[in-house]
Amino acid sequence: MHALFEEAGKFMAGRILSEADTSAQVELDSGKRVKVKAAHILLKFEKPSPSELIAQAQAVAESIELDLAWEFAPEDEFGFADLARDYFSENATLVQQAGALFRVYDAPHYFRRAGKGRFKKASAEILQQALAAIEKKKALLAQIDEWAAALGRGECPQPIRDQLYKILFKPDKNAPEYKAVVDASRATHTAPLDLLQKAGAIDSAYQFHWKRFLFENFPKGTGFPAVTAPVIADELPLSTAQAYSIDDSQTTEIDDALSVQGLGTGTVVLGIHIAAPGLAIQPGSAIDQLGRARLSTVYMPGYKITMLPDDVVQTYTLDEGRANPAVSLYVTIDEATLEFKSSETKLERVHVAANLRHDQLDSVVTEEWLSNPEFEHKNDPQRLSDLRPQLSFLHRLAKELKARREVVRGKPENFNRPDYNFRLVGNHGAEPTGDEQVQISVRQRGAPLDLIVAEAMIVANSTWGSWMAELGVPGIYRSQASMAPGVKVRMGTKALPHAGIGVKAYSWATSPLRRYTDLVNQWQIIACARHGKTAALAAPFKPKDADLFSIISSFDGAYSAYNGYQAGMERFWTLKYVEQNGITELNATVFKEGPGGSFLVRADDIPLVFPVLGAQNLPRGARLKVKLGEVDEITLDIHGTVIERLDDPADSSDDGPVEDAEEDDDTVGGPIAIAVDMNEAEATNTDNPTP
């Protein structure tokens, strides 16, 4: 005696070895013995053999027309044998009964399962809906096949082009566009990104990087709604100081300016004046919401996405020739010893006499020009000559402040590596196309003007940070517990030491037009200036305010993404520079070991870090001549091969210039992490499961 039974959604048949009231021992054709519940046994038979029954029943099942079977089926619940007798004849054979079972089991849209071997037919309405869904799915599968075939031929269907960045980075894995890319990649044995490149889905490397960034960070676009910059209601006194800002020529958000009063009297007053949008923009206002959504200005060569609308920025920026609202920190300093005597914060209007520009003046404002009153350039600008005493004092002060910080820091700050300026020829602030001629120039870190501004901002941020803490007013701080390897800079609401800078507390408050954290801190500082010891009661953000922690978390993520994009686009334009100038060889310096036996090197004359092969046991600081390989503008990848070593190995050691750990984390090209998963199991068609 044989039995046909259902087990875990599959139909099997075998010889009955023994049988009890509730179960039976059945031997399958494979020799395996299984215990089957009596309720699961659907048919018992002598002939044919189990395997023959299964094969013959499957053939019968294929011949059954589902529409006709549905018409014959009773309205009430029925068994498969009942349907076989209605469909075939009153004397339906064993094979026909088994065939009816297989057919109705495979058609859940026609027949709902009601138990072992029991079914109930779907209503006409539900059946029509199910059949329509099946047809729709068939059409969709056909569309996927058509798109996949087009990709395989090197053609990109428009729907896939339109969904490119979603497919690659945030896919809906059930979407037909995604499935077509996966199917085509499998069929052609080509990586998805390479497949899409060959199919012409990517218009240009620059557009790929730009649109990917927008997709991930600005999915609704970079435009602003129409807003009006509010007027500052306060009657602000006019400062007696004459201030001047120091920025590069591309800066339109001028946040800070400096002034010096009292030279030659023995007591000098340093003024650090910060643009004051916080006096007009209120927390929770429409403009505040715009700033909080973006959190920072995004910078890249030739272009930027501002945190605030340009009209708003121009209302509060520290433009020359006008009296601008400012939050001013005045520090009284002993002119001879440069010791700080006192500090005071004022809300006022400050006349900005000049907007000085780094790139135009770095060659003029040199160490010698500042330290030697008799030294003259041939054509010094008159207004720069008028500021020479103030700049000379500020430079002397900046060097002293830096030296003091380095004592606390425990080691000098290194300015061994230059900063680089990128200029796209013919681009005047418009969105680049990626085809512009790029010029790269060097601005040495620690140049006098750079040092003056940097030290003044550290004074303001550390002074205001400590002041807020003294008054019990929370703020947003950056801190670093120590200079030990792996100890990172963190953001928080407590005034903790910043070991890397060498100060007791460090808030971010000097760029309120460009960073949202600075605008938040400015609101807090304004409360301190207005209310003194009771500022904690009046400040917009109270101690342990959950909103502050939310801002920090959001800012950290956005700022990291923005900086990563800026670094990536600087690398893109550096690789463009290499291509445009036909550079095939470079001199470079080893700074650490890379993967796979390579070494990471830093080019001597352009901002490029890349791996090189072809040498062993290279110490940090070894100087090499390197032959460059091909540039990949999509992955931002380039490799090199060592041609020769330029320094004497006998004179070198593995202790090249030591730089801060964070500075070693340079952008290096490589495979782009995409979200297309080629290891996922291929989807099966669940409409017609196989018995």
Side-chain angles (χ1 to χ4, degrees):
M1 181 68 70
H2 306 302
L4 174 70
F5 60 93
E6 180 190 348
E7 191 70 37
K10 293 183 179 180
F11 295 113
M12 293 180 282
R15 183 168 64 93
I16 298 175
L17 300 177
S18 63
E19 194 171 5
D21 291 340
T22 59
S23 64
Q25 287 284 337
V26 177
E27 182 181 53
L28 304 179
D29 284 349
S30 63
K32 181 180 178 181
R33 295 183 178 185
V34 294
K35 183 178 181 180
V36 181
K37 291 181 180 180
H40 292 187
I41 296 176
L42 303 173
L43 286 173
K44 292 181 180 180
F45 57 97
E46 293 286 349
K47 295 180 180 180
S49 69
S51 59
E52 289 174 340
L53 175 71
I54 294 287
Q56 292 173 17
Q58 287 177 342
V60 168
E62 292 177 3
S63 71
I64 296 175
E65 296 182 19
L66 283 172
D67 288 333
L68 190 58
W70 183 83
E71 289 287 349
F72 284 155
E75 296 296 329
D76 296 329
E77 184 181 307
F78 61 89
F80 65 91
D82 299 327
L83 180 64
R85 285 189 284 270
D86 288 339
Y87 187 87
F88 292 105
S89 73
E90 184 63 28
N91 299 315
T93 66
L94 179 75
V95 170
Q96 289 172 334
Q97 292 178 39
L101 171 65
F102 292 172
R103 187 58 163 157
V104 295
Y105 191 90
D106 282 352
H109 44 294
Y110 280 89
F111 303 100
R112 178 173 58 83
R113 296 163 195 167
K116 297 297 182 181
R118 305 289 297 174
F119 301 89
K120 190 173 189 333
K121 76 177 184 178
S123 68
E125 181 182 358
I126 291 176
L127 177 60
Q128 290 306 312
Q129 292 174 352
L131 293 176
I134 291 171
E135 288 303 313
K136 183 177 179 181
K137 184 168 184 178
K138 287 180 180 178
L140 194 59
L141 292 173
Q143 181 68 83
I144 291 171
D145 290 342
E146 182 183 329
W147 285 343
L151 288 170
R153 296 192 301 269
E155 304 167 7
C156 184
Q158 191 61 42
I160 291 177
R161 183 187 296 274
D162 294 340
Q163 295 287 320
L164 175 66
Y165 301 96
K166 184 175 182 180
I167 291 168
L168 290 175
F169 303 111
K170 293 183 180 179
D172 172 2
K173 295 186 178 181
N174 291 317
E177 295 86 357
Y178 175 86
K179 290 182 176 181
V181 171
V182 172
D183 288 354
S185 295
R186 285 172 171 158
T188 60
H189 304 288
T190 306
L193 187 56
D194 291 339
L195 173 82
L196 290 164
Q197 278 185 267
K198 292 175 182 177
I202 299 171
D203 296 324
S204 73
Y206 183 86
Q207 286 298 308
F208 175 79
H209 295 296
W210 171 238
K211 290 181 179 178
R212 175 191 176 187
F213 174 74
L214 294 181
F215 172 77
E216 293 180 337
N217 297 278
F218 293 87
K220 296 181 180 179
T222 60
F224 288 103
V227 292
T228 302
V231 177
I232 295 174
D234 304 60
E235 289 291 335
L236 301 175
L238 180 63
S239 172
T240 58
Q242 294 290 305
Y244 42 90
S245 66
I246 304 173
D247 297 280
D248 61 60
S249 294
Q250 297 178 10
T251 299
T252 57
E253 305 148 291
I254 303 175
D255 288 293
D256 56 86
L258 305 175
S259 66
V260 176
Q261 300 176 83
L263 285 176
T265 66
T267 300
V268 174
V269 177
L270 165 66
I272 304 171
H273 312 283
I274 306 302
L279 288 171
I281 300 170
Q282 297 302 311
S285 66
I287 295 178
D288 169 43
Q289 291 173 18
L290 294 178
R292 185 162 179 174
R294 296 207 174 179
L295 295 163
S296 173
T297 291
V298 185
Y299 294 97
M300 66 205 83
Y303 198 57
K304 65 182 176 182
I305 304 170
T306 58
M307 181 180 78
L308 296 172
D310 188 61
D311 289 347
V312 174
V313 170
Q314 296 312 311
T315 299
Y316 308 117
T317 189
L318 300 182
D319 268 347
E320 67 181 21
R322 70 182 192 185
N324 301 278
V327 178
S328 297
L329 175 65
Y330 289 100
V331 183
T332 302
I333 303 169
D334 185 295
E335 190 172 5
T337 65
L338 300 180
E339 292 297 323
F340 286 11
K341 295 180 178 181
S342 63
S343 64
E344 181 183 14
T345 298
K346 293 182 178 181
L347 309 179
E348 59 185 8
R349 293 186 180 273
V350 177
H351 186 268
V352 177
N355 293 142
L356 306 181
R357 303 297 184 177
H358 278 296
D359 48 316
Q360 298 172 4
L361 300 177
D362 274 346
S363 61
V364 177
V365 184
T366 61
E367 289 266 2
E368 186 175 9
W369 186 85
L370 290 166
S371 60
N372 182 3
E374 296 182 359
F375 177 81
E376 297 285 349
H377 295 289
K378 288 184 179 180
N379 296 302
D380 284 350
Q382 183 58 48
R383 70 174 179 176
L384 194 61
S385 297
D386 294 342
L387 291 173
R388 189 169 184 175
Q390 292 96 316
L391 292 172
S392 296
F393 173 80
L394 287 173
H395 187 239
R396 181 167 71 94
L397 175 64
K399 290 193 294 182
E400 174 64 20
L401 294 175
K402 179 175 181 290
R404 291 177 192 173
R405 289 191 301 99
E406 288 175 341
V407 171
V408 178
R409 199 171 181 268
K411 64 177 183 178
E413 287 180 327
N414 288 313
F415 292 133
N416 298 321
R417 289 164 50 192
D419 282 333
Y420 292 90
N421 295 321
F422 293 80
R423 179 175 176 266
L424 307 186
V425 178
N427 175 274
H428 302 289
E431 181 183 318
T433 65
D435 297 323
E436 291 84 354
Q437 189 75 23
V438 59
Q439 297 175 347
I440 300 177
S441 58
V442 176
R443 181 165 66 86
Q444 186 64 40
R445 281 175 160 184
L449 288 175
D450 186 65
L451 184 65
I452 286 170
V453 174
E455 292 300 327
M457 297 309 108
I458 291 173
V459 168
N461 286 321
S462 59
T463 301
W464 279 330
S466 297
W467 189 40
M468 284 191 290
E470 289 170 9
L471 296 177
V473 174
I476 297 177
Y477 294 88
R478 290 174 68 79
S479 63
Q480 186 179 18
S482 75
M483 293 286 289
V487 179
K488 298 291 186 179
V489 175
R490 300 187 180 278
M491 297 185 73
T493 60
K494 293 183 179 180
L496 300 174
H498 194 307
I501 297 178
V503 294
K504 294 180 180 179
Y506 192 75
S507 67
W508 256 358
T510 53
S511 297
L513 295 173
R514 294 184 272 186
R515 286 192 303 242
Y516 188 70
T517 51
D518 299 51
L519 179 58
V520 168
N521 278 335
Q522 186 172 90
W523 283 324
Q524 303 295 84
I525 292 166
I526 289 171
C528 293
R530 286 173 171 166
H531 302 281
K533 293 182 179 180
T534 63
L537 300 175
F541 299 93
K542 305 299 188 287
K544 298 183 180 180
D545 193 323
D547 221 17
L548 272 183
F549 293 100
S550 175
I551 290 167
I552 289 171
S553 176
S554 298
F555 178 85
D556 231 359
Y559 201 62
S560 176
Y562 297 171
N563 284 341
Y565 179 68
Q566 179 180 355
M569 294 320 296
E570 288 180 355
R571 185 174 179 86
F572 171 86
W573 286 111
T574 301
L575 295 176
K576 273 288 188 184
Y577 180 86
V578 168
E579 292 178 311
Q580 290 172 356
N581 291 276
I583 298 172
T584 59
E585 296 179 1
L586 283 174
N587 293 343
T589 304
V590 174
F591 70 95
K592 66 179 178 182
E593 290 186 13
S598 66
F599 291 88
L600 291 181
V601 301
R602 182 176 291 111
D604 290 352
D605 301 317
I606 57 175
L608 184 62
V609 168
F610 58 101
V612 298
L613 292 168
Q616 296 180 344
N617 301 321
L618 290 174
R620 183 180 180 123
R623 298 197 64 251
L624 310 171
K625 176 176 280 190
V626 176
K627 180 177 179 59
L628 297 178
E630 291 186 6
V631 170
D632 188 328
E633 293 182 0
I634 294 291
T635 63
L636 302 180
D637 193 17
I638 189 170
H639 290 73
T641 307
V642 176
I643 297 175
E644 63 177 309
R645 180 136 178 211
L646 299 177
D647 57 338
D648 187 347
D651 296 336
S652 67
S653 62
D654 198 11
D655 59 355
V658 178
E659 297 161 340
D660 291 347
E662 288 189 6
E663 294 189 351
D664 269 354
D665 190 19
D666 290 89
T667 300
V668 180
I672 292 176
I674 63 174
V676 180
D677 188 354
M678 298 301 297
N679 295 318
E680 287 184 322
E682 292 190 52
T684 57
N685 187 344
T686 57
D687 290 330
N688 294 294
T690 302

